[in-house]
Amino acid sequence: MARKPTKPEKIRLTEVAKLAGVSPITASRFFRTPEALSAGKRVRVESAARELGYVPNLAARALASQRTEVIGVLIPSLTNNVFSDVLRGIYDALDGSRYSIQLANTRYSILLEERLLRLFLAQKPAGLIVTGINQTADSRKIMEAVDCPIVQIMEIGPSPVDMMIGFSHFDASKAAISHLLEQGYRRIGFLGARMDPRVQRRLDGYQAAMTEAGLFDQRLIVTTAVPTSVTLGGTLFADLLSKAPEIEAVFCVNDDLALGAMFECKRRHMPVPDQMAIIGFNDLEFVSSSVPPLSSVRTNRYEMGRNAGTMVIEALEGRRPAQPVVDLGFSVIARQSSVRKP
Amino acid sequence: MARKPTKPEKIRLTEVAKLAGVSPITASRFFRTPEALSAGKRVRVESAARELGYVPNLAARALASQRTEVIGVLIPSLTNNVFSDVLRGIYDALDGSRYSIQLANTRYSILLEERLLRLFLAQKPAGLIVTGINQTADSRKIMEAVDCPIVQIMEIGPSPVDMMIGFSHFDASKAAISHLLEQGYRRIGFLGARMDPRVQRRLDGYQAAMTEAGLFDQRLIVTTAVPTSVTLGGTLFADLLSKAPEIEAVFCVNDDLALGAMFECKRRHMPVPDQMAIIGFNDLEFVSSSVPPLSSVRTNRYEMGRNAGTMVIEALEGRRPAQPVVDLGFSVIARQSSVRKP
DNA sequence: TTGTACGCGTTATCAT
DNA sequence: ATGATAACGCGTACAA
């Protein structure tokens, strides 16, 4: 024998329809396209649903319709403030829409990313937001085969899987160095942590700028695979100073490192910027109120997330963007920490 | 007419079963209880699934089994570092398990929380992790009616919906003030932002400690509903100074405010701790490397998330914790910013 | 605008 | 250990 039939207490669409005096499919339509119902039935279904406390069964809906209203989001870190801003943007964009978010943490591993991607696809997501442009070959194949909008965020590159929104980390980094060069600094150090693909591109930008200026010197670069932190900024800066005591300025791949470097300067009674100029990256909230205020490169993280969310929704509604790749740019914010006094 | 029958290309359990020469239900068992299969069939199903690239349909699974393997997580903020640590703990705890996470952002609104809760329940989650103990009456009713493990995190209180893990914000705050009192500070200010329930309880703790010491003075308290930030810490501290210029120490409800206050001291050439002692809350990474190092109250956020995740899983496996309420405690970390020199 | 008929892909239940 | 059958609750396709 098979399983017992549904107990009559359970409140399904059928129960709502019965109470409203309509067929189940009409009740179903009420929840999806209420405007397709006559006013009378609309009211009756609505009150019936309310009276019974009807809760739609999303699994049944997904099975029947072969899709869900879940947008999968793959990011490499939950701790990094950079991603929390992006996430907030995504959540805000999807707020009020019918879509919900499923978030996964790739931990900066493209292999784990691939596994999570497969996991997502088992749920037939309505859309996908993934971080960066360095996926495994298999991930790329999978994404190309999937029939849903996909936005790659944080970076831009030549061949989007579908859509893309971000900025050039290479250019942004180069611009930061240009700023320091314009201020007259010549011996400019580089501090990098984690060294994920985006940080790597910032290093490339640094190298390009320094080489163009005829100032490149491998000794000025200190990097580590260790995750970033303020404390680490101090440590790396100390390393840099011991390797190259003559440096006049330092570019940190993020603001945490920059703050750490600044604290280290303070411990060494090394005035900023008089004896050491510092510029960070991301323009987090705190940099403007530190003493001295820290220069940084502003990136539009919230907007990135917000736009990514919007792009997915619009694509789902059939309105694909004219431009699949959106460059949100950046701006170098020069504050006291990197500005030569007259 | 109804819909067309499934196209033969689609790879379902049926296709796998056919290739393996077993019935669909046997193939189904392979994915759920492989040990219940004979070794031969187990191997055949496995290779058939691999060969066909079978991807299980989670919607069908959820519909048939009436449950999912999704754990819903409700937190008030994505930006606040405090929650990213907790989240990381939850993700780590669930990593490698069959469960995935669905994250929702309540934006510090218990009304929105209630809506999101209802939304989650439509998906029949395997478990639920919610923030705090201040839910709406309806939310509480809903949670009590739901048949899945629920963990309330961040706080502890007398009547858990199901399980609870956190610490007493009241006691932690009181301990911070006790530390300042022990150091000999008497005029101790309070800086608070956001004023969510947990921050409110920290204020209560401050008030209790000060009252017990016979030092309570409403003028020493500066609060705002505005979200916290380093910059805000500076502003609030300036407010406090103008209201009560005689203060010797300040307790900030989080480390961002504390850092902002410290920067403001620096701008005013007010040495810390000689002229102004500062203690923060949460013991974020940066406090130990600032100059001077900032005192703070360490809370075990990662462990909280990690344990919450584990508690849900264990409960799902039938092993409910002996104690439904877990107090993770806290510790006052006294650093230079609040220690009187001898 | 509304309804009919059936399929979505899996698992629960019972039987062998 | 394995299989037959029906049921999970809803949406699609088409007809009226």
Side-chain angles (χ1 to χ4, degrees):
Chain A
M1 195 85 84
R3 66 168 68 178
K4 295 164 205 150
T6 308
K7 289 166 195 165
E9 309 107 62
K10 296 197 71 174
I11 289 144
R12 296 158 304 177
L13 213 39
T14 318
E15 278 66 49
V16 175
K18 207 165 290 175
L19 181 59
V22 299
S23 76
I25 188 63
T26 301
S28 167
R29 282 196 188 101
F30 167 78
F31 293 101
R32 289 171 296 135
T33 49
E35 65 280 6
L37 283 170
S38 63
K41 303 212 171 183
R42 187 160 43 211
V43 173
R44 273 155 56 206
V45 175
E46 165 144 40
S47 66
R50 187 194 312 283
E51 187 177 331
L52 296 174
Y54 170 69
V55 176
N57 182 320
L58 297 186
R61 186 177 283 179
L63 180 57
S65 66
Q66 299 284 53
R67 47 195 171 65
T68 66
E69 290 174 349
V70 172
I71 293 173
V73 177
L74 288 163
I75 57 166
S77 163
L78 292 167
T79 325
N80 194 326
N81 321 47
V82 166
F83 293 106
S84 43
D85 285 337
V86 176
L87 261 186
R88 199 161 43 85
I90 299 178
Y91 272 84
D92 280 1
L94 267 48
D95 197 61
S97 81
R98 46 209 280 204
Y99 301 99
S100 63
I101 293 167
Q102 180 109 22
L103 182 68
N105 180 1
T106 67
R107 300 161 183 242
Y108 290 101
S109 155
I110 56 173
L111 262 55
L112 180 50
E113 181 183 55
E114 183 181 324
R115 259 182 42 211
L116 291 166
L117 199 54
R118 291 181 201 280
L119 221 123
F120 269 173
L121 296 187
Q123 309 183 43
K124 308 195 190 270
L128 236 35
I129 295 177
V130 304
T131 301
I133 57 183
N134 292 68
Q135 282 80 27
T136 64
D138 278 5
S139 287
R140 214 177 146 102
K141 257 184 238 159
I142 294 173
M143 290 195 290
E144 271 157 3
V146 168
D147 178 38
C148 75
I150 301 179
V151 183
Q152 292 167 285
I153 59 170
M154 301 306 293
E155 290 188 73
I156 52 175
S159 47
V161 169
D162 182 9
M163 296 174 281
M164 208 175 247
I165 182 160
F167 66 95
S168 164
H169 292 251
F170 181 92
D171 291 350
S173 166
K174 224 175 144 188
I177 304 305
S178 295
H179 158 71
L180 292 175
L181 291 170
E182 280 162 21
Q183 293 293 317
Y185 301 108
R186 288 296 169 266
R187 303 290 294 169
I188 303 170
F190 178 96
L191 255 42
R194 174 75 76 179
M195 301 315 288
D196 66 64
R198 287 161 294 287
V199 173
Q200 185 60 50
R201 279 184 259 283
R202 285 176 220 158
L203 174 54
D204 296 343
Y206 163 86
Q207 182 160 345
M210 292 296 276
T211 304
E212 278 176 26
L215 295 169
F216 181 72
D217 178 351
Q218 185 66 46
R219 286 174 48 254
L220 302 178
I221 298 175
V222 174
T223 64
T224 172
V226 168
T228 190
S229 72
V230 176
T231 307
L232 183 65
T235 315
L236 294 182
F237 182 65
D239 285 3
L240 177 60
L241 274 182
S242 65
K243 281 176 65 180
E246 78 280 15
I247 57 164
E248 308 161 320
V250 61
F251 169 54
C252 306
V253 296
N254 66 51
D255 293 329
D256 285 357
L257 292 182
L259 183 61
M262 195 186 83
F263 283 142
E264 184 62 26
C265 286
K266 197 140 295 170
R267 278 188 287 274
R268 294 172 179 242
H269 307 291
M270 191 182 270
V272 174
D274 300 349
Q275 207 173 323
M276 182 62 58
I278 302 178
I279 184 165
F281 198 97
N282 280 325
D283 202 49
L284 295 187
E285 183 267 330
F286 67 77
V287 296
S288 66
S289 68
S290 72
V291 183
L294 280 165
S295 300
S296 195
V297 180
R298 178 170 298 164
T299 57
N300 307 293
R301 298 179 300 284
Y302 176 81
E303 292 71 17
M304 205 180 299
R306 178 120 197 165
N307 276 323
T310 308
M311 284 162 88
V312 170
I313 292 186
E314 301 231 310
L316 285 170
E317 291 172 349
R319 291 174 293 131
R320 300 192 65 81
Q323 265 292 2
V325 179
V326 179
D327 184 352
L328 243 37
F330 57 86
S331 40
V332 175
I333 311 291
R335 298 196 182 85
Q336 206 179 314
S337 75
S338 70
V339 174
R340 268 251 155 86
K341 283 164 190 163
Chain B
M1 193 87 84
R3 67 167 63 180
K4 294 162 207 152
T6 307
K7 288 166 196 166
E9 311 108 62
K10 298 196 70 173
I11 289 147
R12 297 159 303 176
L13 212 40
T14 317
E15 277 66 48
V16 175
K18 206 164 290 174
L19 181 60
V22 300
S23 75
I25 189 66
T26 301
S28 168
R29 282 195 188 101
F30 168 78
F31 293 101
R32 290 172 295 139
T33 50
E35 65 280 5
L37 275 139
S38 65
K41 302 212 173 182
R42 187 160 43 212
V43 172
R44 274 158 52 208
V45 175
E46 165 143 41
S47 67
R50 188 194 312 284
E51 186 177 331
L52 296 174
Y54 170 69
V55 176
N57 182 318
L58 297 185
R61 185 176 283 180
L63 179 58
S65 67
Q66 300 284 52
R67 52 198 164 64
T68 67
E69 290 175 348
V70 172
I71 293 174
V73 177
L74 288 163
I75 58 166
S77 163
L78 294 168
T79 325
N80 195 326
N81 322 47
V82 166
F83 293 107
S84 42
D85 285 338
V86 175
L87 260 186
R88 200 161 42 85
I90 299 178
Y91 272 83
D92 280 2
L94 268 48
D95 198 61
S97 81
R98 47 210 279 206
Y99 300 99
S100 63
I101 294 168
Q102 180 108 22
L103 183 67
N105 180 359
T106 67
R107 300 161 183 240
Y108 291 99
S109 155
I110 57 173
L111 262 56
L112 180 50
E113 181 183 54
E114 183 180 323
R115 259 182 43 210
L116 291 166
L117 200 54
R118 292 182 199 280
L119 220 120
F120 270 173
L121 296 187
Q123 309 184 45
K124 308 194 191 273
L128 236 35
I129 295 177
V130 304
T131 301
I133 58 182
N134 292 68
Q135 282 80 28
T136 64
D138 279 4
S139 288
R140 215 177 146 103
K141 259 184 238 157
I142 294 173
M143 291 195 288
E144 271 156 4
V146 168
D147 178 36
C148 75
I150 300 179
V151 184
Q152 291 168 284
I153 59 170
M154 301 306 292
E155 290 187 76
I156 51 173
S159 47
V161 170
D162 182 8
M163 295 174 282
M164 208 175 247
I165 183 161
F167 65 96
S168 164
H169 292 251
F170 180 93
D171 291 349
S173 165
K174 225 176 143 185
I177 303 305
S178 295
H179 158 71
L180 293 175
L181 291 170
E182 280 162 20
Q183 292 294 318
Y185 300 108
R186 288 295 171 266
R187 302 293 293 170
I188 303 170
F190 178 97
L191 255 43
R194 174 72 77 180
M195 301 316 286
D196 66 63
R198 287 161 294 286
V199 173
Q200 184 60 49
R201 278 184 260 283
R202 286 176 219 157
L203 174 54
D204 295 343
Y206 163 85
Q207 181 159 346
M210 292 296 275
T211 303
E212 280 175 25
L215 296 169
F216 180 71
D217 178 351
Q218 185 66 47
R219 285 174 47 252
L220 301 179
I221 298 175
V222 174
T223 65
T224 171
V226 169
T228 190
S229 71
V230 176
T231 307
L232 183 66
T235 315
L236 294 182
F237 182 66
D239 284 4
L240 177 60
L241 274 182
S242 65
K243 281 175 65 181
E246 76 281 17
I247 57 164
E248 308 160 320
V250 61
F251 169 54
C252 305
V253 295
N254 65 52
D255 293 330
D256 286 357
L257 293 182
L259 183 62
M262 194 186 83
F263 283 141
E264 184 63 26
C265 286
K266 197 140 296 170
R267 278 188 286 273
R268 293 170 180 244
H269 307 290
M270 191 182 270
V272 174
D274 300 351
Q275 206 173 324
M276 182 61 58
I278 302 178
I279 185 167
F281 199 96
N282 280 324
D283 202 49
L284 295 186
E285 183 268 328
F286 67 78
V287 296
S288 66
S289 68
S290 73
V291 183
L294 280 165
S295 300
S296 195
V297 180
R298 179 171 298 163
T299 58
N300 308 293
R301 299 178 299 284
Y302 176 81
E303 292 72 18
M304 205 179 302
R306 179 120 197 167
N307 275 321
T310 307
M311 285 163 87
V312 170
I313 293 186
E314 302 232 308
L316 285 170
E317 291 171 348
R319 291 175 294 131
R320 299 192 66 81
Q323 266 291 5
V325 179
V326 179
D327 184 351
L328 244 36
F330 57 84
S331 41
V332 176
I333 311 289
R335 298 195 182 86
Q336 205 177 315
S337 75
S338 70
V339 174
R340 268 249 154 87
K341 285 165 191 162

